[in-house]
């Protein structure tokens, strides 16, 4: 793990570390799990990949507020006709937040869901072009 | 569910150090406890078991796999799931600069001894949204059977 060279444009909040596969926290009545994430740079884009099994593309909610990218996913419930006889991983929803800095173009973030993996592509913003100020003389 | 052919059978199939040694192996990145079966065959999958009518349903979360990398076998009432989480773009991986790498790429191996006999030819497996669902219809002969209790009252 390259956690040492952490001069990335995406910050992970301290309480958002998935210590184990079953790291879950009490949130009102529901358990919410922090999905495991990969963050890497591919060309000019920053890519975040999150493991969210059981979540379909329609049930993912991605929001950006005050430069905080929040991803939450709802797991489809098991049909009521199924009765549980052995449980090793309790079905629960996912939530994770990332802090973005100004270098990321928040308008053009793309998201793609495939086989339970959510892939977010965060393009870098066009660096502010130097402005030329013309001086007029009276 | 009990692991089959477990070489650590000192405690009647239960290995108290199993989870601990697996975590240690993963932490060091090589088999620190060399020869441990778990490490050689692959990680354990977290599996949920359900029943629905006459069906037994095995469900497991394995995100980011291709269906061709999953194999499900049933033999002698033992269900075996093998899966491999391969990086599809190995060559592109070199160009990637990782800031955070939490997702695991590993092999999975799980054996489950089924609680009932199943109709092997009617088993279906389905992989959708990163969830593997295996549906096993129970065999007829494993359904309920009443047994008469006889009592010899002549003394």
């Amino acid at each position: 793990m390259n956690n040492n060279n952490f001069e990335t444009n995406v910050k992970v909040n301290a309480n958002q570390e998935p210590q184990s596969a079953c790291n879950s926290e009490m949130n009102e009545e529901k358990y919410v799990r922090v999905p495991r994430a990969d963050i890497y740079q591919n060309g000019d884009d920053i890519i975040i990949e999150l493991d969210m099994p059981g979540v379909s593309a329609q049930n993912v909610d991605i929001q950006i507020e005050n430069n905080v990218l929040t991803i939450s996913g709802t797991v489809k419930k098991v049909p009521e006709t199924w009765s549980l006889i052995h449980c090793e991983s309790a079905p629960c929803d996912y939530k994770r937040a990332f802090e973005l800095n100004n270098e990321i173009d928040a308008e053009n973030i793309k998201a793609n869901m495939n086989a339970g993996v959510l892939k977010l592509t965060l393009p870098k913003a066009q660096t502010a072009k130097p402005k030329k100020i013309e001086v007029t003389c009276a | 569910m009990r692991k089959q052919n477990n070489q650590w059978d000192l405690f009647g199939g239960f290995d108290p150090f199993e989870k601990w040694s697996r975590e240690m192996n993963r932490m060091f990145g090589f088999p620190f406890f060399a020869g441990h079966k778990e490490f050689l065959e692959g990680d354990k999958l977290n599996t949920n078991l359900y029943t629905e009518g006459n069906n037994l349903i095995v469900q497991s979360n394995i995100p980011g796999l291709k269906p061709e990398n999953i194999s499900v076998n049933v033999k002698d009432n033992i269900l075996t799931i093998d899966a491999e989480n391969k990086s599809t773009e190995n060559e592109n991986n070199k160009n990637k600069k990782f800031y955070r790498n939490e997702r695991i790429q590993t092999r999975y191996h799980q054996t489950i001894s089924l609680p009932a006999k199943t109709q092997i030819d009617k088993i279906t497996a389905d992989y959708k949204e990163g969830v593997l669902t295996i549906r096993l219809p129970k065999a007829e002969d494993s359904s309920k059977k009443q047994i008469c209790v006889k009592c010899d009252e002549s003394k």
Side-chain angles (χ1 to χ4, degrees):
Chain A
M1 289 194 197
N2 329 341
N3 282 343
N4 356 350
N5 54 350
F6 201 70
E7 356 94 12
T8 170
N9 297 322
V10 182
K11 265 190 185 171
V12 180
N13 297 343
N15 59 345
Q16 293 266 315
E17 299 276 347
Q19 279 137 11
S20 74
C22 242
N23 181 24
S24 50
E25 59 183 51
M26 266 296 222
N27 185 0
E28 293 163 6
E29 292 165 349
K30 268 184 177 171
Y31 282 103
V32 176
R33 191 175 292 177
V34 178
R36 286 179 188 270
D38 276 1
I39 305 173
Y40 58 86
Q41 191 168 350
N42 199 359
D44 272 347
D45 297 338
I46 301 270
I47 293 171
I48 306 179
E49 284 182 323
L50 294 139
D51 274 348
M52 293 162 95
V55 180
S56 63
Q58 294 85 30
N59 294 334
V60 187
D61 182 48
I62 303 163
Q63 285 187 351
I64 302 173
E65 201 183 340
N66 297 331
N67 270 357
V68 175
L69 175 76
T70 312
I71 299 139
S72 48
T74 327
V75 172
K76 210 181 353 177
K77 277 181 188 147
V78 164
E80 281 184 12
T81 49
W82 294 17
S83 61
L84 187 69
I85 47 174
H86 180 87
C87 180
E88 288 180 358
S89 77
C92 58
D93 295 343
Y94 299 92
K95 196 173 184 181
R96 192 157 186 185
F98 300 96
E99 214 178 299
L100 310 177
N101 75 0
N102 293 327
E103 279 181 35
I104 280 169
D105 186 4
E107 299 289 314
N108 290 317
I109 293 177
K110 283 177 202 158
N112 175 38
M113 194 86 187
N114 182 27
V117 178
L118 178 70
K119 187 176 178 180
L120 291 164
T121 312
L122 319 171
K124 278 193 182 170
Q126 297 286 331
T127 43
K129 285 171 188 168
K131 273 184 188 171
K132 195 179 181 184
I133 298 158
E134 288 191 16
V135 182
T136 54
C137 53
Chain B
M1 282 197 291
R2 195 166 77 79
K3 235 166 257 98
Q4 296 294 313
N5 309 323
N6 199 330
Q7 62 175 3
W8 299 82
D9 211 13
L10 298 166
F11 303 91
F14 171 72
D15 177 10
F17 306 108
E18 178 201 307
K19 196 182 173 190
W20 178 75
S21 60
R22 200 167 64 232
E23 287 299 319
M24 290 292 271
N25 284 343
R26 186 183 287 166
M27 198 173 90
F28 286 105
F30 63 90
F32 189 74
F33 296 93
H36 198 289
K37 203 164 167 275
E38 290 280 332
F39 195 85
L40 300 172
E41 287 187 337
D43 278 337
K44 195 180 163 292
L45 280 168
N46 283 340
T47 339
N48 287 358
L49 233 71
Y50 302 89
T51 51
E52 186 201 27
N54 207 29
N55 287 331
L56 193 73
I57 297 157
V58 177
Q59 209 174 49
S60 195
N61 287 345
I62 351 172
L65 262 74
K66 286 182 176 175
E68 57 261 31
N69 288 342
I70 308 171
S71 79
V72 179
N73 288 297
V74 184
K75 197 192 170 191
D76 299 334
N77 229 22
I78 294 164
L79 174 74
T80 314
I81 306 167
D82 278 292
E84 193 164 2
N85 192 351
K86 272 190 236 166
S87 174
T88 45
E89 305 144 354
N90 261 330
E91 288 160 16
N92 293 350
N93 257 350
K94 290 169 193 165
N95 302 329
K96 291 176 185 171
K97 188 187 171 193
F98 271 93
Y99 296 114
R100 187 164 270 258
N101 194 353
E102 291 168 358
R103 293 170 61 230
I104 305 163
Q105 295 201 339
T106 183
R107 263 179 314 156
Y108 297 101
H109 176 85
Q110 171 84 62
T111 46
I112 299 163
S113 93
L114 298 168
K117 276 192 179 175
T118 50
Q119 300 176 45
I120 290 178
D121 47 334
K122 284 183 183 168
I123 295 170
T124 54
D126 162 58
Y127 183 68
K128 204 180 168 191
E129 291 153 11
V131 181
L132 176 70
T133 311
I134 305 162
R135 200 176 270 267
L136 309 116
K138 286 181 199 166
E140 297 285 320
D141 56 355
S142 68
S143 55
K144 278 181 190 172
K145 190 191 171 190
Q146 195 170 353
I147 295 153
C148 294
V149 181
K150 282 178 187 169
C151 177
D152 193 10
E153 287 184 352
S154 58
K155 288 175 187 173

